[in-house]
């Protein structure tokens, strides 16, 4: 069994055809001070992503002005904070779409989107398909 496991792991490591289960990227390597700051930002975002978050609020978490925070976050993640927040929300949507306990509209509003068409546009930008197509694909 152990040899079979090693063969499977070898095959997985050599695979060229794969897709990520999550759209969220891992934290980059930061020095201790930056690591704490980015960790606070990530934790806050994960915890509060279901509601409307003002840029001033997250900038305050980072002890920065909103403009400085935007530059800081973009330099370190290569994306805007709003794009990151939308990716977090879409990851939460994907989890809820697997459960099939709520409608897509209910999931949209529960995950922090305030407008259904805006939600559909963001979902398609991140996942490359509509929420209903994604739900059909994962629940086959």
């Amino acid at each position: 069994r152990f040899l079979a496991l090693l063969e499977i792991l070898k095959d997985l490591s050599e695979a060229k055809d794969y897709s990520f289960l999550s759209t969220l990227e891992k934290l980059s390597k930061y020095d201790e001070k930056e690591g704490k700051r980015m960790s606070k930002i990530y934790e806050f975002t994960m915890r509060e992503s279901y509601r409307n978050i003002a840029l001033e609020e997250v900038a305050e978490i980072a002890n920065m002005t909103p403009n400085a925070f935007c530059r800081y976050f973009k330099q370190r993640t290569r994306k805007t904070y709003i794009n990151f927040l939308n990716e977090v929300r879409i990851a939460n949507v994907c989890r809820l779409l697997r459960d099939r306990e709520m409608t897509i509209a209910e999931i949209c509003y529960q995950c922090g989107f305030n407008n259904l068409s805006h939600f559909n546009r963001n979902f398609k930008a991140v996942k490359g398909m509509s929420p209903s197509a994604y739900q059909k694909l994962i629940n086959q």
Side-chain angles (χ1 to χ4, degrees):
R1 283 191 255 181
F2 182 70
L3 291 176
L5 173 65
L6 289 177
E7 286 180 36
I8 291 169
L9 291 174
K10 179 181 177 280
D11 290 343
L12 288 173
S13 71
E14 295 171 347
K16 302 287 187 235
D17 183 30
Y18 61 89
S19 62
F20 293 102
L21 295 176
S22 174
T23 57
L24 301 177
E25 297 178 18
K26 294 182 180 178
L27 285 171
S28 300
K29 293 183 179 179
Y30 302 112
D31 64 27
E32 189 175 335
K33 183 180 177 185
E34 269 192 64
K36 286 180 182 178
R37 177 179 281 164
M38 288 302 290
S39 181
K40 284 181 185 179
I41 295 166
Y42 276 54
E43 286 172 15
F44 172 80
T45 304
M46 299 299 176
R47 187 177 62 248
E48 303 293 328
S49 65
Y50 68 91
R51 66 177 182 83
N52 190 20
I53 298 174
L55 202 50
E56 292 79 14
E57 188 177 3
V58 72
E60 190 175 311
I61 299 282
N63 295 321
M64 303 175 125
T65 66
N67 287 339
F69 170 74
C70 288
R71 278 191 309 277
Y72 171 84
F73 195 85
K74 179 112 184 202
Q75 285 175 344
R76 280 145 187 87
T77 64
R78 295 185 193 90
K79 62 180 82 170
T80 66
Y81 179 75
I82 299 303
N83 287 343
F84 171 70
L85 177 60
N86 284 333
E87 287 180 5
V88 169
R89 289 175 172 165
I90 296 298
N92 291 334
V93 167
C94 290
R95 182 178 46 79
L96 291 174
L97 285 173
R98 285 186 199 99
D99 295 340
R100 300 191 86 178
E101 294 177 8
M102 294 186 282
T103 66
I104 291 174
E106 290 171 332
I107 292 171
C108 158
Y109 295 115
Q110 182 172 337
C111 289
F113 291 96
N114 297 324
N115 180 304
L116 194 55
S117 63
H118 176 70
F119 160 71
N120 284 319
R121 228 180 355 265
N122 276 289
F123 191 95
K124 191 166 188 170
V126 172
K127 289 295 187 184
M129 63 182 77
S130 69
S132 56
Y134 180 83
Q135 190 175 42
K136 286 176 188 173
L137 180 71
I138 62 171
N139 290 317
Q140 287 181 352

